[in-house]
Amino acid sequence: MRATKVQVRTGLEVFLATTSSELAGQQVGLITNATGVDHHLHSTVDLLNADTRIQLTSLFGPEHGIRGDVQAGVHISGQPDPRTGLPMFSLYGKSRRPASDMLAGLDALIYDIQDLGTRYSTYIATMVYAQEAAAEAGLTFVVFDRPNPIGGSAPAGNLLKSDFSSFIGIHPIPIQHGLTTGELARLIATERGWPAPLVVPMHGWQRNLWFDETDLPWVQPTPNLPTLDSLTLYPGTCLFEGTRYSEGRGTTRPFELIGAPDLDSFELVAELENRTIPGAIFRPVYFTPTFSKYAQQTCGGVQIHISDRQALHPVAVGLHLLHAVRTVSSVSLDWLQMADGRYFIDLLAGSDQLRLALDAGDEVAEILTNWEAERATFQERRRSCLLYKDEEE
């Protein structure tokens, strides 16, 4: 971590500090959540509602709601915002796309949400659907840019295959994409043939910065990602959502804990310690989730401690954990199936290749090698959409 934090102004703050604006006099809708704040933790909703250059007329809430008070997967019903009285539409309920009547009278649609840096985030799908709706309605789509919290350097993981597109993977990007929200919006618009978004860029952000190396205040982006450590491990450990094993939801360390009632903690850690996994230390633990998988049941498992995040490869850590659990369990990973028969792991992994490879006993190194060409292809695809360039770019 840097000794001195880097001063970064988000797209929101840059917009507020600019005397003139392309949006002046326009009626705008705002897609945001609890992460939409300035340095003083003032909400984007309140700041734009007080901005006399524009007329904020409606609010749109993603998964977890505008105020971040709703758990994962819980549908949200639209209702007026209690603070401003503005109409608030849910984009995580019966409909996940802004309908034409929701956009009636608007000139622009603003998006201001802290991304997770990971393909699984439903915020990405919300942004894609909003971009599409704005394009169809002839509205300007605006992004107030924010940092990639786990860094904007090289991407990692495989690309999503179109047959496995879902709300947790909607565009062919790798698991860890290494883009900011604005860069991601530019890439998607280019590749889908939509008008380019109006991105209000950050000032001061660099691609190699982690979130805690900036002077920005931390607001947890979802109820189950409370710390930067949990978010750092999320690209790998979220894959356990597709198995019967707990990913730590219902504990104070979600995505840092993996386990199940019948898992031998010490045997699992011994297996992991026999592998070369840079940047991580594994500790045998027991934990009891208060909700989600194995609620009120004691689970044996492992806590992943980050010893060197520069050396850490979260996607590789996740694959090693899956492979190690299968090794010590001597059984399948008990992949969870959805009501329509699909495997949830396939939606997370972006194809059925990971599931089939692990079931066949393939080694982690082989899986990662097979993904390398896809990762390299994306590295080239994203180049023209970058807004912040370091020396390696």
Side-chain angles (χ1 to χ4, degrees), residues 119 158-162 164-166 169-174 347 350:
R119 186 177 67 211
N158 66 321
L159 296 183
L160 173 83
K161 305 299 186 293
S162 59
F164 295 87
S165 179
S166 73
I170 197 169
H171 196 73
I173 59 175
L347 302 187

Side-chain angles (χ1 to χ4, degrees), residues 9-20 53 200-203:
R9 284 198 296 167
T10 64
L12 166 66
E13 292 170 316
V14 171
F15 173 80
L16 293 172
T18 304
T19 55
S20 61
R53 294 173 298 171
V200 182
M202 295 175 282
H203 287 179

